Amino acid sequence: MGRLDGKVVLITGGARGQGAAEGSLFVAEGARVVLSDLLDEQGEAQAEKLGDAAIYQHLDVRSEADWERGVARTVEHFGRLDVLINNAGIVNAAPLEEMSLGNYMEVVETNQVGVFLGMRAVTPAMREAGGGSIVNISSNAGLEGVPGVIGYVASKWAVRGMTKTAAIELGRYGIRVNSVHPGGVDTPMLQQDDFEEVDQDGVFSAQPIPRIAQPEEIAKLVLFLASDDSSYSTGAEFLADGGMTAGNPAAGVMPD
């Protein structure tokens, strides 16, 4: 049996990258999946690859109306909603003094407000289903400061806090809420122009697992939280960052 047999999952940012990896793994584990995104062409193609177990839904996570339509379509098509993966996210990079309010708010509205709207939108359907699991994708930047991306850091710390509050409020309905905190993941987000001058090999080679993560590795942790294997976990943060937040490896000297 698959670890998600009988479960219906809604994934935001599901057209590519980490969201697409989650969708593929979840279908392989028995789930029926709704991939949602703003990238309609890529999202439709990804859902088609997964066959009858997946559909695509246009969903702007900043829009209350889109969330209502997305949840309604999920329930209408698959009969229920058991799992939400709040995966959609963006980043705008600039030093504090150069970050415009518009660019800051764009990140907050997507990464923070989108998660709030999503959790609120799925709660009635999950209550109707008798419970569920919400997995909010935060970041190592939700646990520590990262220079040059202050809006992203603010939004990801907020996701961590909202996760804990939602877990407290929704536990009585059998709804678990947890956050996942990846480090660097090899997705289009790290390939955008803002990071062209960043020595990514140098960044990741200094951590205990000296490489960037692949989306499929993060998807396996998200699978655990979406499944009943994590039935006693809620209000918690789960790290998958290659040891990035474990500490500074240059702080001490170890013999070879």
Side-chain angles (χ1 to χ4, degrees):
M1 292 179 62
R3 295 168 71 184
L4 294 179
D5 279 350
K7 295 190 184 297
V8 175
V9 184
L10 172 59
I11 302 173
T12 67
R16 63 181 185 174
Q18 195 169 299
E22 290 157 0
S24 296
L25 178 60
F26 288 8
V27 167
E29 290 286 347
R32 292 167 292 169
V33 172
V34 178
L35 302 176
S36 69
D37 212 303
L38 294 176
L39 304 174
D40 295 335
E41 187 173 341
Q42 292 181 53
E44 293 280 6
Q46 183 65 21
E48 187 174 346
K49 281 170 49 179
L50 299 179
D52 292 341
I55 61 171
Y56 174 73
Q57 174 68 30
H58 178 92
L59 198 161
D60 183 342
V61 297
R62 301 166 297 180
S63 166
E64 291 182 83
D66 273 15
W67 272 111
E68 291 174 6
R69 283 189 287 266
V71 172
R73 173 117 189 270
T74 300
V75 175
E76 288 167 7
H77 192 86
F78 288 126
R80 58 188 296 128
L81 175 56
D82 303 285
V83 179
L84 169 65
I85 311 299
N86 270 317
N87 175 78
I90 63 170
V91 61
N92 289 328
L96 171 61
E97 290 184 283
E98 299 173 19
M99 176 68 72
S100 71
L101 178 60
N103 283 345
Y104 179 90
M105 291 306 300
E106 182 182 27
V107 174
V108 169
E109 287 169 359
T110 298
N111 297 3
Q112 177 179 337
V113 176
V115 168
F116 157 70
L117 291 175
M119 292 193 294
R120 191 181 68 178
V122 303
T123 294
M126 288 189 177
R127 290 178 64 177
E128 181 69 23
S133 175
I134 298 172
V135 184
N136 296 325
I137 306 301
S138 180
S139 168
N140 69 296
L143 297 165
E144 62 181 0
V146 180
V149 287
I150 192 165
Y152 185 77
V153 170
S155 68
K156 293 303 187 178
W157 276 80
V159 167
R160 181 184 175 204
M162 290 191 299
T163 295
K164 294 180 182 298
T165 296
I168 294 167
E169 294 186 7
L170 301 181
R172 71 190 71 181
Y173 309 122
I175 301 171
R176 298 182 296 106
V177 191
N178 292 287
S179 59
V180 170
H181 298 256
V185 185
D186 189 13
T187 67
M189 179 180 286
L190 285 185
Q191 297 161 13
Q192 64 190 57
D193 293 344
D194 284 344
F195 302 111
E196 276 187 337
E197 298 181 5
V198 175
D199 177 12
Q200 294 190 17
D201 289 339
V203 170
F204 300 116
S205 65
Q207 63 190 32
I209 300 176
R211 61 173 176 81
I212 196 169
Q214 294 304 305
E216 293 77 13
E217 294 178 288
I218 309 303
K220 291 175 182 177
L221 176 55
V222 178
L223 168 64
F224 166 72
L225 294 172
S227 76
D228 293 337
D229 289 348
S230 57
S231 58
Y232 199 57
S233 296
T234 197
E237 56 263 2
F238 291 79
L239 271 161
D241 70 347
M244 182 181 290
T245 55
N248 181 0
V253 178
M254 292 184 63
D256 292 335

